[in-house]
C-alpha cells in the first residue's frame, strides 16, 4: 500500500499570512502574482506515491506545485528563506503553493523547523478520484478535480493526468510504477513480526490502522 503525507504550513508563512490578511480588507481583489512560500508540504514517504500526489493535486486551479524537491528543511536550511522563496512558482493570494520533499520524513532536523498548523493528513493511493476528494477537503478547497482528468493507463497500471481538455495527457516517468517482486508469505510474516512494535506506534500516531 502506498501512502503519502501532507503537513500543513510552517513558521516561514508568518509574513505571507499577515500580508494576505491585510489585503482581505480591501474591496479590490488582489490578483498579484509573486513567489509565495508554500502553505502545504508533502513530506513523505519515499516511494509512497508522493510524485503522483503532487501531479494530481496540481490539476486543481487553486494549487501551484513546486516541481523540484528543494530539500530546504533538511539539507538547504542554511541558504535562508529568500533562497527558498526564489524556488517557488508564481501564485496569487488565493492559491496554495505545495512543495514535495520526501526526505523530510526521515530528517531529524526537519520537525523543529516546521510549525504545523493543522493535523497532518495521510493519504493512500491519493491519485485516485475518491482519495483526491479527501485531499481537496483537507486543504479546504472546492472539489474541482474531475474524474475526466484522471486517465488510467493500462500499460503502466496507474493514473495519468489531463489538466485541460485540450492539453496533453501527462504520465509519470518510467521510474514510477515499477512492478514489485513477489514476496513469500513466510517473509511477509517475519517482516510483520519484526516491525509490529514500530507499526503500532505509527498507528497510534496517525490514529488509524493499516492492514500491514
Amino acid at each position: 500500500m502506498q501512502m503519502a503525507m501532507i503537513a500543513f504550513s510552517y513558521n516561514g508563512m508568518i509574513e505571507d499570512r499577515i500580508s494576505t490578511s491585510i489585503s482581505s480588507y480591501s474591496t479590490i481583489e488582489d490578483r498579484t502574482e509573486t513567489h509565495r512560500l508554500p502553505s502545504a508540504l508533502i513530506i513523505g514517504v519515499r516511494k509512497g506515491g508522493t510524485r503522483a500526489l503532487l501531479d494530481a493535486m496540481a490539476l486543481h486551479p487553486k494549487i501551484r506545485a513546486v516541481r523540484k524537491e528543494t530539500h530546504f528543511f533538511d539539507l538547504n536550511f542554511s541558504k535562508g528563506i529568500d533562497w527558498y522563496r526564489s524556488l517557488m512558482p508564481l501564485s496569487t493570494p488565493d492559491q496554495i503553493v505545495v512543495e514535495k520533499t520526501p526526505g523530510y520524513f526521515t530528517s531529524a532536523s526537519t520537525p523543529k523547523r516546521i510549525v504545523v498548523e493543522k493535523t497532518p493528513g495521510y493519504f493512500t493511493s491519493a491519485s485516485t478520484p475518491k482519495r483526491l476528494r479527501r485531499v481537496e477537503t483537507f486543504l479546504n478547497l472546492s472539489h474541482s478535480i474531475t474524474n475526466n482528468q484522471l486517465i488510467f493507463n493500462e500499460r503502466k497500471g496507474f493514473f495519468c493526468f489531463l489538466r485541460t481538455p485540450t492539453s496533453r495527457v501527462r504520465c509519470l516517468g518510467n521510474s514510477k510504477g515499477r512492478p514489485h517482486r513477489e514476496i513469500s508469505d513466510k517473509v511477509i510474516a517475519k517482516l510483520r513480526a519484526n516491525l509490529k512494535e514500530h507499526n503500532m506506534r505509527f498507528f497510534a500516531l496517525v490514529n488509524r490502522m493499516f492492514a500491514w
Side-chain angles (χ1 to χ4, degrees):
M1 178 182 291
Q2 292 184 324
M3 182 180 68
M5 181 166 72
I6 299 177
F8 197 77
S9 195
Y10 64 95
N11 56 5
M13 282 293 296
I14 292 176
E15 58 184 282
D16 280 8
R17 285 200 303 272
I18 292 174
S19 62
T20 300
S21 63
I22 292 174
S23 66
S24 66
Y25 288 98
S26 173
T27 57
I28 301 176
E29 184 180 6
D30 183 6
R31 300 294 299 171
T32 305
E33 285 193 335
T34 188
H35 298 282
R36 290 177 171 81
L37 296 170
S39 52
L41 304 175
I42 300 175
I43 65 174
V45 296
R46 286 188 175 99
K47 301 304 176 184
T50 55
R51 171 56 62 180
L53 172 60
L54 183 70
D55 284 359
M57 290 172 65
L59 295 173
H60 199 289
K62 294 296 185 182
I63 287 181
R64 299 286 285 127
V66 184
R67 291 300 176 183
K68 185 178 180 180
E69 295 178 8
T70 69
H71 286 277
F72 176 65
F73 290 105
D74 56 350
L75 303 179
N76 295 314
F77 197 68
S78 62
K79 293 184 178 180
I81 201 71
D82 289 336
W83 175 86
Y84 187 42
R85 187 194 300 274
S86 71
L87 302 179
M88 300 300 113
L90 291 172
S91 65
T92 57
D94 63 335
Q95 291 179 316
I96 292 177
V97 178
V98 182
E99 190 244 310
K100 174 192 84 78
T101 299
Y104 293 158
F105 190 82
T106 54
S107 166
S109 60
T110 295
K112 60 186 177 183
R113 294 170 176 169
I114 301 176
V115 177
V116 177
E117 295 185 333
K118 185 174 183 178
T119 303
Y122 303 84
F123 303 97
T124 57
S125 304
S127 59
T128 62
K130 183 178 179 180
R131 299 297 182 183
L132 281 173
R133 299 291 86 78
R134 292 184 56 212
V135 174
E136 289 172 319
T137 299
F138 175 76
L139 294 175
N140 296 321
L141 293 172
S142 62
H143 291 176
S144 298
I145 302 174
T146 67
N147 292 350
N148 293 334
Q149 292 179 280
L150 302 173
I151 313 297
F152 189 78
N153 187 304
E154 295 286 350
R155 182 177 64 84
K156 289 178 173 289
F158 51 74
F159 286 94
C160 298
F161 311 109
L162 181 66
R163 188 166 184 82
T164 67
T166 58
S167 62
R168 192 172 63 176
V169 175
R170 176 188 174 94
C171 288
L172 299 176
N174 293 331
S175 64
K176 309 296 183 181
R178 290 168 291 184
H180 298 285
R181 291 180 178 271
E182 290 292 331
I183 301 177
S184 69
D185 292 340
K186 182 178 180 180
V187 172
I188 291 176
K190 184 175 291 187
L191 286 171
R192 283 176 173 166
N194 290 340
L195 298 174
K196 182 178 180 179
E197 180 182 347
H198 302 287
N199 282 334
M200 294 308 295
R201 291 209 308 266
F202 177 72
F203 298 158
L205 177 66
V206 301
N207 194 30
R208 184 175 177 184
M209 296 288 291
F210 294 94
W212 295 342

